[in-house]
Amino acid sequence: MKRSKEEAAETIRKLMEVARSHFAEHGYAEAALESIVQEAGLTRGAVYHHFRSKKDLFRAVLADVQQDVAERVESEAATSEEMGEQLYLGCRAFILAAIEERNRRILLIDGPAIVGWEAWREMDRHHSMRLLREQLGLMQEHGYVRPMPLDALVHFISGGLNETALWLAGASVEPDAQEETMKMLAFLLDGLKKQS
């Protein structure tokens, strides 16, 4: 029994790794399930044993990407002891992870279109947005930021980060746009600080 669970977990891991590569490179519409199956060294039956459809497989890959991005955010934020710096580093990490070649098409373009905006937002709320809420809540508790409605603040910053990532992922962005974006991010987040 333990062996079959391990085999199933390995099959899913391999399938999702190959699928992620295909979805990132070709996009959802052009990624052929047959090619994914063949590269993973599996049968279509093995895929349908674990996932109901290509869309179901994509949804699992998207959740995996969301989890990876959230882990990057958490890891980067943890490199500082200072709350304001943690917030900046986490937001910066989100943008940089979201626009990476292996993530951007899945996370920013196909994700909302394939699983639907509400399902995509729910995944975001469970991963990166949750971390943003926790950090801002902690900062409010310690009097680090001005008092303001937490829900509105979280949605405002999260929406800005998502839109910024979409913009930076575009092909026509100026070469120094990323550097300018990070300066603007630091400036805006600094404005949240409570004035002494």
Side-chain angles (χ1 to χ4, degrees), residues 95-110:
I95 293 169
L96 294 177
I99 65 173
E100 277 182 3
E101 195 67 39
R102 67 187 302 256
N103 297 332
R104 89 169 148 223
R105 187 167 197 156
I106 296 167
L107 183 66
L108 302 173
I109 300 163
D110 287 344

Side-chain angles (χ1 to χ4, degrees), residues 13-188:
R13 186 202 61 76
K14 183 189 294 185
L15 180 61
M16 286 188 47
E17 187 179 291
V18 172
R20 183 172 178 167
S21 163
H22 281 247
F23 290 139
E25 186 178 344
H26 308 291
Y28 177 82
E30 298 300 317
L33 193 55
E34 196 57 52
S35 299
I36 293 170
V37 167
Q38 190 174 4
E39 188 177 324
L42 301 169
T43 64
R44 283 180 83 88
V47 175
Y48 290 122
H49 178 71
H50 300 290
F51 301 98
R52 291 185 308 261
S53 62
K54 177 179 161 184
K55 184 176 179 178
D56 197 33
L57 174 60
F58 178 82
R59 187 184 182 95
V61 168
L62 173 60
D64 202 43
V65 170
Q66 289 266 17
Q67 179 65 38
D68 286 353
V69 170
E71 286 170 7
R72 284 268 296 281
V73 167
E74 215 163 9
S75 174
E76 285 296 315
T79 62
S80 176
E81 296 287 317
E82 200 268 324
M83 284 187 197
E85 184 74 4
Q86 289 173 345
L87 179 62
Y88 169 77
L89 290 172
C91 290
R92 182 179 183 277
F94 172 83
I95 293 169
L96 294 177
I99 65 173
E100 277 182 3
E101 195 67 39
R102 67 187 302 256
N103 297 332
R104 89 169 148 223
R105 187 167 197 156
I106 296 167
L107 183 66
L108 302 173
I109 300 163
D110 287 344
I114 303 306
V115 302
W117 185 241
E118 281 305 313
W120 186 91
R121 284 185 71 218
E122 186 55 40
M123 284 184 189
D124 187 47
R125 197 170 11 257
H126 180 70
H127 291 97
S128 299
M129 193 185 247
R130 173 185 55 82
L131 296 172
L132 180 61
R133 172 181 288 284
E134 287 171 6
Q135 183 67 21
L136 288 168
L138 193 63
M139 291 171 78
Q140 282 190 343
E141 280 175 36
H142 287 86
Y144 190 90
V145 296
R146 303 169 192 223
M148 55 189 85
L150 186 58
D151 278 344
L153 183 58
V154 169
H155 282 85
F156 182 81
I157 294 173
S158 178
L161 293 173
N162 286 325
E163 181 59 32
T164 299
L166 272 168
W167 174 63
L168 287 174
S172 61
V173 174
E174 297 294 319
D176 53 350
Q178 190 171 304
E179 185 182 332
E180 289 172 356
T181 295
M182 297 313 165
K183 286 178 186 172
M184 183 57 66
L185 176 64
F187 175 76
L188 290 172

Side-chain angles (χ1 to χ4, degrees), residues 1-9:
M1 183 69 150
K2 186 180 177 189
R3 178 106 174 107
S4 63
K5 280 187 179 178
E6 287 172 0
E7 287 172 353

